[in-house]
Amino acid sequence: MNKKLKKLDVYLAGPRGFCAGVERAILMVQEAIKKYGAPVYVRHEIVHNKYVVDNLKNEGAIFIEELSEINQLDRPVIFSAHGVPKSVPEEAKNLNLIYFDATCPLVSKIHREVEHFERQNLPVILIGHKNHPEVIGTMGQTNKDIYLVENKEEVKNLPILKDQQIAYVTQTTLSVDDTKDIIDEIKSHFVNTLEPKKKDICYATTNRQEAVKNIAKNSDYFLVLGSKNSSNSLRLVEVAKNYGSQNAILVDDIDNFDPTILNNSAKIGVTASASSPEILVTKIINKISQFFDLNIIEAEYEKEDIHFKIPQKLKEAI
Ligand code: SF4
């Protein structure tokens, strides 16, 4: 050990990294490439992580935003983990495409809730982020009234009468704390609110945020490994800041990460979002260890043992 290196405690948040929905979606692309050969089209980034997307491109995936971009109609296409509007599988059928849907089962659960509320003729409020693919997919489950709100101020401006019965659902990757405030506002503004049977913010989002909360107050710096377009990564940065780690940052590009920004720190927290692989944690630790004498502490908030099976349709194909 080099005695000149400054000591640095590194608290690794647990759980961190891939969730069950992300693991399944990546596996689906890899299995499809194995079965059909390259290229396999993927509609939208399969999960919001640059490292994952770049690796899958190298394995033979071609990422597109719309099915109209497919120029080899005999190649299979996979829909991303975020879910798609109902119009997308319909379009795939019309084009006679071989398609597989990697929508996370926990997002599909919300789609079924929207359908359920639609059957009851209830206006649905969706709490989420405008233009996020999951929100576009959820809004596209119904032709009836569905209203997006991004913050609690928007609730009272909705064109729905206060005494009308309404239902709400949420995006899966929101801040647990912020969403609670918006739900409280919905329940106080509308006299008759139907809630989803189970919480829509998923187990992986909740656990990763709780794990960050536990160590943020003791962390002089907090590094969140994830990509800029990843909702769950951005929420982890916000949570770290809100719970006491003012210097929380998103690290998307480890090659350009400068460990000397940690020079004034004694303790740091590190986590990886639900779409970021553990290899990125190893890489950043290796990089930081060239500048500091590290004391690594696994700070596990909860053990996870959740896995989702790949859809029967793909299983049969392979
Ligand atoms: S973050 Fe949650 S909803 Fe999204 S893919 Fe993972 S388990 Fe599914």
Side-chain angles (χ1 to χ4, degrees), residues 26-27 62 79 88 99 148 180 234 244 252 310:
I26 295 169
L27 182 66
I62 296 178
F79 307 150
V88 172
Y99 69 91
L148 176 66
K180 185 184 171 304
L234 298 173
D252 192 9
I310 62 173

Side-chain angles (χ1 to χ4, degrees), residues 256-292:
N256 283 321
F257 173 74
D258 176 9
T260 62
I261 62 168
L262 306 173
N263 278 348
N264 294 324
S265 305
K267 295 174 183 177
I268 66 163
V270 174
T271 191
S273 74
S275 44
S276 301
E278 184 65 14
I279 178 85
L280 297 181
V281 176
T282 309
K283 277 176 184 261
I284 200 150
I285 294 297
N286 286 344
K287 187 154 192 186
I288 299 171
S289 70
Q290 292 163 22
F291 293 77
F292 297 91

